[in-house]
Amino acid sequence: MIYTEEFVESRARVEATRTQRLHEEPRRFEADEKRKLLREFHPDYSRKDFTVLQVGPNKGDKVPHELADLLQGRSRVLDRVICLEQIRYDTDVLVIGGGGAGAAAAIEARKQGASVFLVTKLRLGDSNTGMAEGGIQAADKDGDSPAIHYLDALGGGHFKNDPELLEQLVLHGPEAIQWLDRLGVMFDKEPDGMMITTHGGGTSRRRMHACADYSGAEIMRVLRDEVEDENIQIMPYSPAVELLLDENGSAAGAVIYDFDTEEYAVVRAKSVIIATGGSGRLHYQGFPTSNHYGSTADGLVLAYRAGVPLIYAEAVQYHPTGAAYPPQIYGALVTEKVRSLGAMLVNKDGAAFLHPLETRDVVAAAIIRECTARKKGVYALHGPALWLDTPMVNLLHGEGTMERSLPAMIRMYRKFGIDIRKEPILIYPTLHYQNGGICIDTDSATKIPGLYAAGEDVGGIHGTNRLMGNSLLDIIVFGRIAGNRAAIYSRTA
Ligand code: MEZ
């Protein structure tokens, strides 16, 4: 393997993060060359075509124009619905969204004794949660602490994170893992029952708790079972299309559209939780996405149109390693865990040009620079791509490691005749995560009384760049808080 000079500098940065984080001034990690790389080659930092919103609560905010079109669209629904005549359902807590955050919220709200109605655009469990692979972060091991977790996430988020939300996230990390473990999530464990943990990009400690490479699917399996076991009314194929407020401006329910009957209906609720996930399927700037088909920024649109501010809505995450070949899985997630296990990113000269565990925005920007300005990419049907040297994993850690740690990856490629244990794969950045979103406080509450939000549609926790595994954590932490607070609120509404 050839290592470029930049690779050596980049490796030194990653090693410094791991050994010195507690003693370093965090800002030192925002090295100038990294900043330059981001400005020039990161798809969002460098894009010129943001729309500046001229209407609504956030006058002057920048958002990608694909999202601005939705935010500014006129409601076609409320014109047609005569609300009071069309109240079809009545509940204490309405949960909008059937992914991890919505499910966690519904479970907690039920635990508080509230009646819960859950509507979801597709089916319960069809979500980005179910598609997350590499793991969930929590600082629960010796030598680690929520404070170190906090510093890692703050550095990764470019110091734009809301300090209180981030504190809430990291302090609840260990408890979230215990909760999932108790519910029956089959985390990877040593024979003595100790959880196995690994590194992710930008983490200074091993705190990624995983279920091989289908962590999200396993978590979603358990949450879905739990919701179904509770007395929760679930309405699939029924997206919420508009929020309803009462005469005091408090949340009062939502208008939903039933894909089966093709009718609108009103759900009246004492409190409402928005948990609709991300926006990858808006395909900003024509990028492919690792997201499921329901990810179309619905929660941002609902909240914004009701008057809730958004934060960093322009900041989305391009996961460095989306599948670039074969075309049938173009944009699908190739988990960061592959790089955590030592796989290198390699250009067409066979050179490694960046440490693979820098933060995601830095790695994605470097891949794009390598392919565009430097012309060091290779051709892969939809455009340029680079190699991810997957066979390194078994070479570094011994035969059988990939079979144990990456079975879903192996299976995804095997269908197309590619054995990732024997040959490298082609990758290119893919739209993966919405860093920004709805403004909430540490109770998951928006500025509208009775309206809560949790999960990927929320902004502030991760600043402008999230670290791997912190979203599986935030859907659990803030999903549970939202469910609890919304249920308590509904008693007085
Ligand atoms: O947190 C994520 O986005 C995640 C676990 C992704 C991955 O690469 O596996």
Side-chain angles (χ1 to χ4, degrees), residues 111-156:
K111 201 186 278 171
Q112 288 300 319
S115 61
V116 179
F117 191 82
L118 187 150
V119 296
T120 177
K121 181 155 70 180
L122 300 174
R123 295 163 307 175
L124 179 63
D126 289 338
S127 59
N128 285 345
T129 302
M131 299 176 81
E133 295 171 356
I136 167 167
Q137 280 205 54
D140 59 357
K141 288 275 175 95
D142 288 350
D144 196 3
S145 70
I148 310 179
H149 188 177
Y150 182 96
L151 284 180
D152 286 350
L154 194 66

Side-chain angles (χ1 to χ4, degrees), residues 50-70:
F50 287 115
T51 301
V52 177
L53 293 181
Q54 296 302 341
V55 292
N58 280 1
K59 198 167 175 189
D61 270 12
K62 283 194 308 180
V63 290
H65 65 78
E66 298 90 337
L67 175 59
D69 290 349
L70 297 176

Side-chain angles (χ1 to χ4, degrees), residues 132-135 319 333-336 360 432 466 468-471:
E133 295 171 356
H319 193 291
L333 182 64
V334 173
T335 175
E336 189 166 315
R360 285 183 177 167
H432 182 60
R466 175 180 66 80
M468 171 190 181
N470 273 349
S471 65

Side-chain angles (χ1 to χ4, degrees), residues 352-405:
F353 53 92
L354 197 86
H355 191 284
L357 288 184
E358 293 255 27
T359 53
R360 285 183 177 167
D361 51 355
V362 172
V363 181
I367 292 170
I368 292 169
R369 175 199 59 191
E370 214 57 19
C371 290
T372 55
R374 296 198 171 158
K375 304 204 175 352
K376 297 282 186 192
V378 298
Y379 176 71
L381 282 185
H382 286 286
L386 292 181
W387 296 107
L388 181 63
D389 190 0
T390 44
M392 286 278 273
V393 174
N394 273 355
L395 286 176
L396 282 170
H397 302 283
E399 284 300 317
T401 308
M402 291 184 78
E403 289 79 349
R404 268 195 315 281
S405 309

Side-chain angles (χ1 to χ4, degrees), residues 5 53 115-116 163 165 195-196 210 229 249 267 273 332 340 342 354-355 384 421 423 432 440 452 480 488 492:
E5 268 176 33
L53 293 181
S115 61
V116 179
L165 293 180
M195 297 236 182
I196 298 172
D229 285 352
V267 183
I273 301 169
S340 306
L354 197 86
H355 191 284
R421 294 166 301 178
E423 51 188 316
H432 182 60
I440 56 163
Y452 299 79
R480 293 183 71 198
I488 293 171
T492 55

Side-chain angles (χ1 to χ4, degrees), residues 10-273:
S10 150
R11 179 169 56 196
R13 273 202 300 267
V14 171
E15 278 167 8
T17 308
R18 289 187 184 175
T19 53
Q20 298 167 23
R21 172 131 281 173
L22 262 190
H23 315 290
E24 288 278 342
E25 176 58 33
R27 284 191 184 275
R28 272 191 56 182
F29 293 102
E30 293 292 281
D32 280 352
E33 64 271 28
K34 262 168 66 171
R35 238 192 285 266
K36 188 162 173 283
L37 190 64
L38 288 177
R39 258 201 319 272
E40 284 181 28
F41 299 102
H42 188 277
D44 270 347
Y45 292 77
S46 57
R47 76 184 284 178
K48 306 273 187 297
D49 59 346
F50 287 115
T51 301
V52 177
L53 293 181
Q54 296 302 341
V55 292
N58 280 1
K59 198 167 175 189
D61 270 12
K62 283 194 308 180
V63 290
H65 65 78
E66 298 90 337
L67 175 59
D69 290 349
L70 297 176
L71 294 176
Q72 295 174 334
R74 214 182 107 63
S75 169
R76 287 168 295 124
V77 177
L78 288 182
D79 294 346
R80 278 196 257 161
V81 174
I82 304 156
C83 299
L84 290 176
E85 284 175 11
Q86 289 194 255
I87 293 173
R88 188 93 37 95
Y89 309 97
D90 238 316
T91 183
D92 291 336
V93 178
L94 168 64
V95 177
I96 303 172
I107 293 164
E108 285 302 320
R110 273 301 295 145
K111 201 186 278 171
Q112 288 300 319
S115 61
V116 179
F117 191 82
L118 187 150
V119 296
T120 177
K121 181 155 70 180
L122 300 174
R123 295 163 307 175
L124 179 63
D126 289 338
S127 59
N128 285 345
T129 302
M131 299 176 81
E133 295 171 356
I136 167 167
Q137 280 205 54
D140 59 357
K141 288 275 175 95
D142 288 350
D144 196 3
S145 70
I148 310 179
H149 188 177
Y150 182 96
L151 284 180
D152 286 350
L154 194 66
H158 302 290
F159 308 95
K160 301 268 174 57
N161 319 50
D162 178 310
E164 288 180 1
L165 293 180
L166 183 56
E167 187 181 346
Q168 184 83 307
L169 178 81
V170 298
L171 288 177
H172 284 82
E175 179 195 322
I177 298 289
Q178 285 162 19
W179 186 69
L180 291 172
D181 195 37
R182 270 201 312 276
L183 290 183
V185 171
M186 311 233 315
F187 285 113
D188 297 342
K189 292 184 179 166
E190 303 284 4
D192 65 1
M194 281 284 284
M195 297 236 182
I196 298 172
T197 48
T198 54
H199 270 297
T203 63
S204 64
R205 300 292 185 276
R206 292 171 182 276
R207 69 170 78 91
M208 209 66 64
H209 302 65
C211 316
D213 59 349
Y214 43 82
S215 310
E218 169 63 5
I219 290 173
M220 198 65 245
R221 173 187 75 79
V222 167
L223 293 178
R224 191 178 48 219
D225 279 359
E226 203 63 24
V227 170
E228 282 169 353
D229 285 352
E230 294 287 343
N231 193 8
I232 293 170
Q233 194 174 348
I234 304 163
M235 203 154 153
Y237 300 114
S238 301
V241 288
E242 210 76 60
L243 290 180
L244 296 173
L245 306 183
D246 66 16
E247 59 282 6
N248 303 317
S250 305
V255 180
I256 58 171
Y257 180 72
D258 184 331
F259 282 147
D260 283 336
T261 60
E262 300 185 2
E263 282 177 358
Y264 293 101
V266 169
V267 183
R268 185 163 62 182
K270 294 177 181 148
S271 59
V272 177
I273 301 169

